[in-house]
Every structure is written in structure tokens, then in C-alpha cells.
């Protein structure tokens, strides 16, 4: 039995023994793959079929999806506070139930307003089931070894597009988009509801007290410091560019003459790149400061986005670039997951990470719609990717100011 698998491990805290539930980590790995795959990655694959079958404008359907991410950003602040106090079980189980209902509403929507309502409800499911609540759970249960646990769950989560983008495309080849979503909703229900309800029952430990946090006066004071806001700006700009590029990859490739299935495979293999990238993060974290790796990873995001913009083919090269971009995205996910603990410790992680995630998730919410709307005026999807690379470049500049002030005025 490995350290991460131990059902209980005596981690010294201010309140005694810290419980580590054996089933939580593997369960969260499976539920992250399924939740992201069904609620997030199925949409860019199915959206062309949705608009063709219904006649609804692409901008409207993409706006509905963006609205879900916006709801997730707002709800995530409250979710973080609830998890800080009570743990993840109720939040994540409820989120799974809401997720199933929302996808069924989307699948059966008779008109665009009901379709939009389904996605608004899906936003609540995202807030309760995606990375943020899983990160809060693992950070509390596994501290101070939480980076290992976070790496494992994001390694699994990175497979969501690898599994579900091709699966969704295969289902859509034989079923309508509505029937495809119904099938995916059944998968979501069968996997995530029992997993969250049964595997997250362990006692919720008191948080470890962070000396670093108290040197700047507490959670509210941290949230008002310039490094915190510069970190928020950096991750927000990066999240906008990355989210827009992920959703726009399929139309970028179809615009260049590739089939929807070929584009879906490129998107899916980009998810495999995320898994590769996450295996590298722990070593990167040991060898670099939080500020240095923030700058480096955001800059690499700009480079891979620009490369996709200027490379029309061949197909194998585009797939390789998608994998490279996915590798960067995988590291960026862990960068955000550890940004708070790297700078201010684990105390009130749920609340601080919720505050940090609100603007980044909002940017990710706006990005798909903004990208779809901006592509035509810019001259096409290659030009959109150039603009997104410029956004990431701007994030590199603000990343220079993200090192927190510690005792004596020194910076990390």
C-alpha cells in the first residue's frame, strides 16, 4: 500500500490525526474524467451537429455553453467556502445529480431558451464536480503531500478529452446529437453519483495553520494584496487564451479541410498531452520558483497557440502540436491548483482558490463565445489563434508581479 493509498495516515496538525480516505483519490480520478468528458468536452464535438440540426446560430449555442462556465465561476466561490467548512461529499454528489439533469434538459430542449436553461444549470454542476472542489478535498486530506495527489487526479482528468471526444464523435456517427447526450447523461449518472456519495465519506479534518498566511494578516488581507491580484490577472488572461483555443481547435481544423472526426481525434490526443504534461509538473516545481514557472508555462502556452495558427498541415504535425499544447495545459492546471499553497499555504485554501478561480473561470466562460464571434472579423480561425497567443504574451508580463511579500519584505 502506497502512502497516497493509506486509509489513514497520522499527519501532525493542530488538531491531531489527518484522515486520508483510501477510496477518495481513485474515485475522484474516475469522476473527473467522466464529468469533464460529458459536461465539457462533448460540446465542441457535438455543437456543429446541434447547429445544423436545429438551425440555432453557432454564436447562440456557444454563448449558452459560455454562460454555464460563467455560472460555475460565480458559484465556485460559495462552493469553496462550503467545502472549507463541511467537506466535499454533499457538494460533489449534489453536483453530479444536477449535472445529469442538466445534460438531459440540453438533450431534450425543444427550443433555444430551454437549451440555454439547461446549460445554466450545468454551470452549477461544473462548480460542484470539476477540478476546484476536487482540489480543495485533496489539498485538505493530503496536505502537506497534496501536490502528489493533485498530480494524480489531474493526470486522470487529462484523459477526459482523450476518452470522450472520440467516444462522442463515434456515438454521433450513429445517433442524433440528442440521443448522444442522453447516452452520455446515463454514463455520468452511473459513474459519478455513486462514486461521490460513497467514496467521500471520510471525516473532514481541521485545516493546517499556515504561518505564511498569517504573516500578511489573514485570508482577507491576502486577497487584497497586489501579488494576489496580479496572479489573478495572469491566470485569467491565460485561461481565456487556453479555453478559446481548446474550443476553437475543431473549427480551426475543419476550416482547413479536415473532417470532424479527424478534428475530434486531434482534440482528444491533446488531452493525452495534458496527462504527459502533468507527469512533469512535480519535477518542475522542485526546480523553479512559483513566479519563474508561472512565466515559463504561460509563455509556452503562447508559443503552442501561435504554432497552431501558422501550421496548416500535414495532419500528423497538427496532432503533434495539439499534444504539445495539451502538455502545456496540463502543467497550467497544476500551476493554478498549487498557486495558493505555493505562495500563502493551505489555510482557507477553498476560499482563496475560489476567489482566484472566479475570474479565471469567468474568462474561460467568455472565451468560447468570444472566440466564435471574433473569428470572422479577424479573418478566420488562424488569425484568432494569433490573437490568443498575444493574450498569453500579455499574461507573461503580469506574471512578473506575482511573487508574494513575506516577512522582512523578501519575495518567493
Amino acid at each position: 500500500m502506497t502512502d497516497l493509498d493509506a486509509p489513514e495516515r497520522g499527519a501532525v496538525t493542530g488538531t491531531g490525526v489527518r484522515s486520508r480516505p483510501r477510496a477518495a483519490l481513485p474515485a475522484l480520478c474516475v469522476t473527473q474524467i467522466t464529468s469533464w468528458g460529458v459536461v465539457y468536452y462533448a460540446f465542441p464535438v457535438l455543437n456543429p451537429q446541434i447547429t445544423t440540426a436545429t438551425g440555432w446560430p453557432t454564436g447562440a449555442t456557444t454563448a449558452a455553453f459560455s454562460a454555464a462556465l460563467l455560472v460555475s465561476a460565480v458559484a465556485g466561490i460559495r462552493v469553496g467556502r462550503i467545502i472549507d467548512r463541511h467537506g466535499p461529499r454533499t457538494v460533489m454528489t449534489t453536483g453530479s445529480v444536477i449535472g445529469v439533469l442538466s445534460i438531459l434538459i440540453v438533450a431534450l430542449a425543444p427550443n433555444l431558451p430551454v437549451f440555454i436553461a439547461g446549460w445554466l444549470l450545468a454551470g452549477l454542476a461544473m462548480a460542484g464536480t470539476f477540478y476546484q472542489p476536487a482540489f480543495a478535498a485533496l489539498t485538505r486530506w493530503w496536505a502537506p503531500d497534496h501536490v502528489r495527489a493533485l498530480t494524480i487526479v489531474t493526470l486522470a482528468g487529462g484523459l477526459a478529452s482523450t476518452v470522450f471526444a472520440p467516444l462522442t464523435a463515434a456515438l454521433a456517427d450513429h445517433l442524433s446529437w440528442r440521443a448522444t447526450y442522453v447516452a452520455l447523461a446515463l454514463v455520468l449518472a452511473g459513474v459519478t453519483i455513486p462514486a461521490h456519495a460513497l467514496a467521500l465519506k471520510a471525516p473532514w479534518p481541521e485545516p493546517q495553520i499556515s504561518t505564511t498566511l498569517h504573516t500578511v494578516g489573514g485570508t482577507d488581507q491576502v486577497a487584497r494584496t497586489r501579488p494576489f491580484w496580479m496572479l489573478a490577472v495572469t491566470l485569467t488572461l491565460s485561461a481565456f487564451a487556453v479555453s478559446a483555443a481548446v474550443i476553437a481547435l475543431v473549427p480551426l481544423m475543419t476550416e482547413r479541410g479536415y473532417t470532424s472526426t479527424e478534428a475530434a481525434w486531434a482534440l482528444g490526443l491533446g488531452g493525452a498531452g495534458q496527462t504527459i504534461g502533468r507527469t512533469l509538473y512535480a519535477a518542475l516545481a522542485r526546480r523553479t520558483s512559483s513566479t519563474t514557472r508561472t512565466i515559463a508555462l504561460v509563455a509556452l502556452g503562447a508559443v503552442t497557440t501561435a504554432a497552431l495558427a501558422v501550421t496548416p498541415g500535414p495532419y500528423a504535425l497538427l496532432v503533434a502540436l495539439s499534444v504539445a499544447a495539451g502538455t502545456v495545459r496540463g502543467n497550467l492546471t497544476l500551476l493554478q491548483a498549487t498557486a495558493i499553497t505555493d505562495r500563502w499555504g493551505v489555510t482557507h485554501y477553498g476560499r482563496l482558490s475560489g476567489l482566484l478561480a472566479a475570474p479565471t473561470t469567468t474568462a474561460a466562460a467568455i472565451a468560447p463565445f468570444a472566440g466564435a464571434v471574433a473569428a470572422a472579423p479577424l479573418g478566420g480561425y488562424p488569425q484568432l489563434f494569433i490573437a490568443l497567443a498575444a493574450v498569453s504574451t500579455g499574461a507573461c508580463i503580469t506574471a512578473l508581479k506575482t511573487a508574494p511579500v513575506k516577512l522582512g519584505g523578501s519575495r518567493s
Side-chain angles (χ1 to χ4, degrees):
M1 181 182 298
T2 65
D3 179 60
L4 285 175
D5 291 332
E8 289 188 355
R9 177 181 181 272
V12 178
T13 69
T15 58
V17 175
R18 180 175 297 272
S19 174
R20 290 185 178 177
R22 171 185 288 184
L25 185 55
L28 287 172
C29 288
V30 173
T31 61
Q32 288 302 303
I33 292 173
T34 309
S35 296
W36 278 95
V38 173
V39 185
Y40 189 91
Y41 284 109
F43 174 78
V45 176
L46 291 176
N47 194 41
Q49 189 179 123
I50 293 171
T51 56
T52 299
T54 62
W56 299 334
T58 299
T61 57
T62 307
F65 182 74
S66 294
L69 295 168
L70 184 60
V71 170
S72 174
V74 176
I77 298 174
R78 179 61 178 167
V79 165
R81 291 176 178 175
I82 293 172
I83 292 178
D84 271 345
R85 294 174 185 173
H86 305 294
R89 185 190 183 198
T90 299
V91 166
M92 299 194 77
T93 304
T94 303
S96 292
V97 173
I98 294 173
V100 173
L101 293 175
S102 67
I103 295 302
L104 289 174
I105 291 172
V106 167
L108 302 175
N111 51 51
L112 185 58
V114 175
F115 182 84
I116 293 171
W119 279 113
L120 293 175
L121 188 62
L124 296 178
M126 293 176 183
T129 60
F130 278 11
Y131 279 140
Q132 205 62 35
F135 288 164
L138 294 174
T139 297
R140 179 76 66 89
W141 270 324
W142 266 265
D145 301 323
H146 54 280
V147 173
R148 295 174 62 199
L150 295 176
T151 300
I152 290 172
V153 81
T154 54
L155 283 173
L159 296 173
S161 63
T162 306
V163 173
F164 279 91
L167 174 61
T168 302
L171 289 171
D173 284 341
H174 299 89
L175 302 171
S176 70
W177 71 269
R178 295 180 185 277
T180 298
Y181 258 139
V182 169
L184 292 174
L186 295 176
V187 173
L188 185 68
V191 172
T192 66
I193 294 174
H196 288 149
L198 299 175
L200 304 180
K201 296 191 296 184
W204 190 234
E206 292 296 321
Q208 293 177 312
I209 301 302
S210 170
T211 302
T212 303
L213 182 67
H214 284 269
T215 62
V216 291
T219 305
D220 292 338
Q221 285 74 14
V222 168
R224 289 195 292 266
T225 61
R226 186 174 73 165
F228 184 89
W229 284 105
M230 287 296 98
L231 179 64
V233 170
T234 299
L235 296 180
T236 297
L237 292 174
S238 178
F240 179 91
V242 168
S243 180
V246 168
I247 300 301
L249 180 62
V250 170
L252 172 73
M253 294 190 64
T254 55
E255 185 177 282
R256 287 171 167 167
Y258 298 99
T259 68
S260 296
T261 299
E262 287 173 328
W265 272 103
L267 176 64
L269 290 172
Q274 291 182 190
T275 300
I276 295 169
R278 287 161 187 169
T279 64
L280 307 174
Y281 185 80
L284 180 65
R286 288 193 298 268
R287 291 170 172 80
T288 59
S289 69
S290 57
T291 302
T292 298
R293 64 178 168 275
T294 300
I295 296 169
L297 290 172
V298 173
L300 287 171
V303 170
T304 55
T305 302
L308 284 166
V310 300
T311 306
Y315 178 71
L317 180 56
L318 285 171
V319 169
L321 289 174
S322 179
V323 172
T327 301
V328 177
R329 290 199 305 273
N331 278 280
L332 286 170
T333 300
L334 282 169
L335 180 74
Q336 180 168 341
T338 58
I340 296 298
T341 52
D342 284 346
R343 292 167 173 82
W344 298 287
V346 301
T347 305
H348 303 302
Y349 174 89
R351 183 179 180 189
L352 283 174
S353 63
L355 289 170
L356 185 64
T360 60
T361 308
T362 300
I366 296 170
F369 174 71
V373 170
L378 288 172
Y381 280 92
Q383 291 79 6
L384 172 65
F385 272 64
I386 289 292
L388 296 175
V391 172
S392 289
T393 301
C396 294
I397 298 172
T398 57
L400 294 168
K401 302 295 184 181
T402 61
V405 177
K406 295 184 178 179
L407 281 175
S410 64
R411 290 178 177 269
S412 63

